[in-house]
Amino acid sequence: MKKLSVLFLFLVFNLGLAQEDPSNAYQKRVLEAAEVDLLFSYYNQDGENAAVTGGEGTEELTDATSSIVVKMPLNPDDVLTVDVGISAYSSASSSNIDPFDKVSSTASPFSASSGASQSDALVHFNPTYEHSSKDRNSVYSAQAYVSREYDYFSIGFGGGYTRMFNEKNTQLGASFQVYLDSWNPQYPIELREGFFDSRITGTGTYDPGFVEFDDETRNTYSLSLSLSQILGKRVQGSVFMDFVSQSGLLSTPHQRVYFSDVNDFFIEDFQLADGVERLPDSRFKIPIGARLNYYMNDLIVLRGYYRYYSDDWGITAHTASLEVPIKLNDKFTLYPNYRFYSQTAADYFYGKEIAVSTLDYYTSDYDLSAFDSHQYGMGVRYKDIFAGTKVFTFGLKTIDLRFNAYDRSDGLSSYIFSLGTTFVAD
């Protein structure tokens, strides 16, 4: 299941680093008190280029995600963060892995089935440990990650190191991540062994000669480097670079492909698969980007972002965004934002019935096609400076409410609401 990123929900860890008191009589804690973040988002999308049905069909999807993030100071130098969440989705597209269990409508790529793959939940668990040096100029981190959904399991781990120089005006960072994933492939129903249906129509005999994937694992290794610098009283900038290597089953087993040199076969209005997407078993990605923050005055900040992306599948992409926080008063801040994205197509992308069966690699997933996209959004933050509002023994620190709308040149559109609250212990 391709999920656009519900990835508009994000966390910022305010570590409040400070220098050690020369007298050594008191060491300021990295995190003064435990904090709890409660996060929720609702995502909805629609389009007519579903990869599950070979690049043509409904892309309707809804996703509700909730997470709880607990940050706990273990001592003055160490912080443990635990992130636990669940994402429950309903997808008309993935329901058509088996489109023939409809009881009241004709099988079609433009309507949802009622099969088991119509809905599912992804559950994740992500603990992170951070240690700061006594002088607060070094931060070490280690983390783990586990997630599961009906056809995919992921386990990961990583670590990082951040070093501050020049009275903390300069910051260097390096981190790595490893993900060891495994598929439980859910092939299109008509490609499974023993499938037979007397309703099949077409010229000749439907016999795609489908062979299942041998490797059902996917491994991802990434290295991230960053440099942040305060350039002046009003300007802060940073640059970053990632190196990402993937190997294993990089195809999605339930995404159909239709060939131009193979006869068409149907059950009702649904075209049977000629095969599923086949992609190389390795991929190397390099994103390079920069951020620039300009503090116009006490009320307005400009936050600019640019990223260039390239991989060895032939995709190059450009991302540019601007966010302008506007401080209305001591408690309320608005966050208007805009994001532009453009990419070229992968070498292996073909629209429906464009690829031929003799090719080694092919996909009709429009996420790998050439497209432009625009995202518009608005957010509002409420900040209670004194955490006066109480829930049990926790005081309310912030409330964030955001809305973003997304439009893609191939017709995909989506929107997301997100709500985040932060509580701090007394």
Side-chain angles (χ1 to χ4, degrees):
M1 184 62 232
K2 298 285 186 192
K3 294 186 181 68
L4 295 175
S5 145
V6 185
L7 311 315
F8 297 99
L9 273 180
F10 55 88
L11 302 174
V12 179
F13 299 141
N14 298 312
L15 298 179
L17 301 179
Q19 291 184 342
E20 185 176 6
D21 190 311
S23 68
N24 203 31
Y26 172 74
Q27 174 64 55
K28 184 174 177 62
R29 301 173 68 91
V30 174
L31 184 67
E32 292 295 337
E35 294 186 358
V36 177
D37 296 334
L38 302 178
L39 308 173
F40 174 79
S41 70
Y42 177 80
Y43 172 81
N44 179 279
Q45 76 171 38
D46 198 6
E48 296 186 347
N49 296 116
V52 174
T53 45
E56 181 182 67
T58 178
E59 294 179 90
E60 289 183 5
L61 180 147
T62 60
D63 183 287
T65 299
S66 59
S67 300
I68 180 169
V69 182
V70 181
K71 295 188 280 284
M72 299 171 287
L74 303 179
N75 54 53
D77 304 325
D78 300 325
V79 175
L80 175 65
T81 302
V82 179
D83 176 2
V84 180
I86 183 170
S87 175
Y89 71 86
S90 176
S91 169
S93 174
S94 66
S95 74
N96 282 322
I97 294 174
D98 179 3
F100 308 122
D101 57 2
K102 295 180 172 71
V103 295
S104 60
S105 61
T106 300
S108 166
F110 292 98
S111 61
S113 173
S114 56
S117 58
Q118 183 183 23
S119 60
D120 191 40
L122 182 150
V123 180
H124 76 264
F125 173 69
N126 178 204
T128 301
Y129 169 79
E130 290 185 329
H131 170 76
S132 297
S133 61
K134 295 297 182 182
D135 61 7
R136 298 298 186 256
N137 286 324
S138 296
V139 180
Y140 306 84
S141 66
Q143 64 175 309
Y145 177 83
V146 179
S147 72
R148 174 179 287 279
E149 55 186 318
Y150 82 105
D151 64 343
Y152 205 79
F153 175 76
S154 178
I155 185 169
F157 60 90
Y161 175 70
T162 301
R163 178 69 180 176
M164 271 72 72
F165 302 92
N166 188 25
E167 297 183 346
K168 296 184 173 60
N169 290 318
T170 305
Q171 178 176 299
L172 287 173
S175 63
F176 74 94
Q177 297 285 335
V178 176
Y179 295 97
L180 307 175
D181 307 339
S182 60
W183 285 95
N184 175 25
Q186 306 295 307
Y187 297 106
I189 188 66
E190 67 269 31
L191 298 180
R192 299 178 192 177
E193 185 177 355
F195 175 81
F196 173 79
D197 195 306
S198 60
R199 297 172 294 171
I200 296 176
T201 60
T203 302
T205 302
Y206 178 65
D207 184 14
F210 175 70
V211 178
E212 296 183 357
F213 292 103
D214 293 328
D215 187 358
E216 297 180 354
T217 64
R218 173 184 294 181
N219 299 331
T220 302
Y221 310 91
S222 68
L223 173 66
S224 301
L225 305 174
S226 64
L227 168 64
S228 178
Q229 177 66 49
I230 295 177
L231 302 173
K233 292 182 178 180
R234 297 178 180 268
V235 183
Q236 180 183 30
S238 63
V239 294
F240 62 85
M241 175 182 289
D242 296 333
F243 302 92
V244 183
S245 177
Q246 292 183 293
S247 61
L249 179 51
L250 305 185
S251 308
T252 302
H254 55 254
Q255 295 187 168
R256 292 175 176 87
V257 169
Y258 300 106
F259 299 123
S260 61
D261 59 342
V262 174
N263 291 336
D264 297 341
F265 293 88
F266 293 85
I267 294 178
E268 298 177 341
D269 293 336
F270 196 95
Q271 185 172 348
L272 304 184
D274 296 331
V276 299
E277 73 172 16
R278 300 274 176 174
L279 294 169
D281 60 5
S282 65
R283 189 178 188 184
F284 188 71
K285 313 175 186 180
I286 301 180
I288 304 172
R291 298 179 185 274
L292 187 68
N293 296 339
Y294 178 72
Y295 299 84
M296 295 183 63
N297 51 49
D298 291 340
L299 303 180
I300 299 177
V301 179
L302 303 180
R303 295 177 178 173
Y305 170 87
Y306 171 78
R307 188 189 76 162
Y308 171 78
Y309 168 91
S310 178
D311 66 29
D312 58 1
W313 285 8
I315 294 179
T316 59
H318 302 271
T319 305
S321 68
L322 178 65
E323 183 178 69
V324 186
I326 303 172
K327 188 175 181 180
L328 302 180
N329 52 44
D330 289 340
K331 292 189 174 183
F332 288 96
T333 303
L334 294 180
Y335 291 88
N337 62 82
Y338 169 73
R339 176 182 180 270
F340 172 77
Y341 177 82
S342 178
Q343 76 170 38
T344 61
D347 296 337
Y348 318 113
F349 173 79
Y350 302 89
K352 183 181 179 181
E353 296 187 330
I354 300 298
V356 295
S357 58
T358 54
L359 291 170
D360 292 328
Y361 304 117
Y362 38 77
T363 179
S364 293
D365 183 351
Y366 274 72
D367 285 350
L368 298 178
S369 70
F371 65 84
D372 299 332
S373 68
H374 303 269
Q375 178 183 299
Y376 314 86
M378 175 64 74
V380 59
R381 167 176 285 191
Y382 169 80
K383 183 176 182 180
D384 189 335
I385 301 174
F386 301 106
T389 303
K390 302 293 182 181
V391 177
F392 299 109
T393 60
F394 287 82
L396 176 63
K397 185 177 179 181
T398 60
I399 299 177
D400 282 281
L401 178 63
R402 295 189 178 231
F403 172 80
N404 285 276
Y406 175 87
D407 289 299
R408 209 158 85 173
S409 56
D410 61 11
L412 179 71
S413 62
S414 65
Y415 64 85
I416 182 172
F417 290 98
S418 61
L419 173 66
T421 59
T422 299
F423 294 89
V424 59
D426 287 341

